[in-house]
Amino acid sequence: MTAPNVTAYRISLDRELHGLLERFWLQEEVNVNSKALTKEEEECEAHFVATYRRDAQGRFVLRLPFRSGVRRLGDSTIPARSAFRRMESRFAHQP
């Protein structure tokens, strides 16, 4: 006659661990009532999806987003160079 197979399980409750896990899952819970994305946020998401890639090290690489319809700054090259030369001259005399 063979002996019957006996399987025993031992369960213990660690209240501190249980509390930590409960707090963790509350923090990680996805909020289904979160507000919808604004038009600008949706455009940003679409730009990311359309332009991202991963490099050899696994980092994300993507093009910078530029807003369309932004005013041009105009032709400020001549005044900027003039201001730069004045500053250079002043720094040459006052080290």
Side-chain angles (χ1 to χ4, degrees), residues 8-60:
Y9 297 99
R10 181 170 181 246
I11 299 174
S12 66
L13 179 63
D14 185 341
R15 292 189 191 280
E16 183 180 354
L17 178 61
H18 178 74
L20 287 171
L21 282 171
E22 191 172 81
R23 285 194 349 237
F24 169 78
W25 286 115
L26 283 174
Q27 284 180 340
E28 294 299 314
E29 189 173 286
V30 175
N31 186 1
V32 293
N33 297 327
S34 64
K35 66 180 179 109
L37 296 178
T38 65
K39 182 179 181 235
E40 190 175 58
E41 290 170 334
E42 286 176 0
E43 289 172 0
C44 185
E45 286 286 329
H47 174 79
F48 175 82
V49 169
T51 64
Y52 88 96
R53 66 178 174 84
R54 289 279 182 104
D55 66 5
Q57 289 81 30
R59 294 180 288 192
F60 285 98

Side-chain angles (χ1 to χ4, degrees), residues 73-84:
L73 293 176
D75 188 20
S76 59
T77 305
I78 294 171
R81 286 185 181 173
S82 177
F84 178 72

